[in-house]
Amino acid sequence: MLFIFLKSGHIFKLIEVLLMSGVKFLFAPLLSFKLGFSYFQTILFTSIGGLLGVIFFFYLSTIILKLFRKFWPFIKFYFSKHIKQKASIPSTKKYKKKFSLKNKFLVISRNKYGLW
């Protein structure tokens, strides 16, 4: 059905517009006009490409999350080496809270106005 709107030799241009609209929808209409598609073709092809992009990335995100959960212990172990060295230094100082005029103003304004 899509091929009714295409002239001969425009199949690669169509694929380019579909991929662009699936990845970055903002620039796809500009690309489509630059490649010589009409207004109706631009709306049709960018809409189809956007829908295909949403479907593709919806299912790809589940695969990426599964891989992330699988390799998370290795990632955490690799990046936590540097953090453990810093955290292993014991701290003997206990810090007292400093109450200043600014802190009092922030507490009063947060309690009085806060999130409505």
Side-chain angles (χ1 to χ4, degrees):
M1 172 156 172
L2 290 176
F3 301 110
I4 296 171
F5 299 109
L6 292 174
K7 297 177 185 174
S8 61
H10 283 102
I11 191 71
F12 292 113
K13 292 179 182 180
L14 169 67
I15 292 171
E16 187 176 359
V17 170
L18 289 175
L19 287 175
M20 177 60 87
S21 62
V23 175
K24 192 66 175 172
F25 191 77
L26 178 67
F27 301 118
L30 300 173
L31 175 69
S32 180
F33 277 127
K34 183 184 172 217
L35 293 176
F37 290 117
S38 68
Y39 179 74
F40 180 70
Q41 289 173 331
T42 299
I43 290 175
L44 181 69
F45 297 151
T46 55
S47 299
I48 291 171
L51 289 173
L52 291 175
V54 167
I55 292 169
F56 176 75
F57 286 113
F58 176 76
Y59 289 111
L60 183 69
S61 66
T62 57
I63 294 170
I64 289 173
L65 287 175
K66 285 180 184 178
L67 287 173
F68 182 77
R69 287 184 190 117
K70 180 180 178 182
F71 291 110
W72 174 246
F74 302 112
I75 295 169
K76 187 176 178 182
F77 175 74
Y78 179 76
F79 286 109
S80 66
K81 288 180 185 177
H82 185 66
I83 296 170
K84 284 183 181 178
Q85 291 173 354
K86 284 186 175 180
S88 65
I89 301 170
S91 177
T92 58
K93 288 187 177 180
K94 292 187 178 180
Y95 295 102
K96 284 188 169 183
K97 292 183 179 179
K98 294 181 183 178
F99 289 104
S100 64
L101 205 58
K102 179 182 173 184
N103 289 346
K104 288 179 185 178
F105 175 73
L106 290 174
V107 169
I108 290 170
S109 62
R110 186 184 67 190
N111 289 339
K112 192 172 186 179
Y113 299 108
L115 290 175
W116 295 344

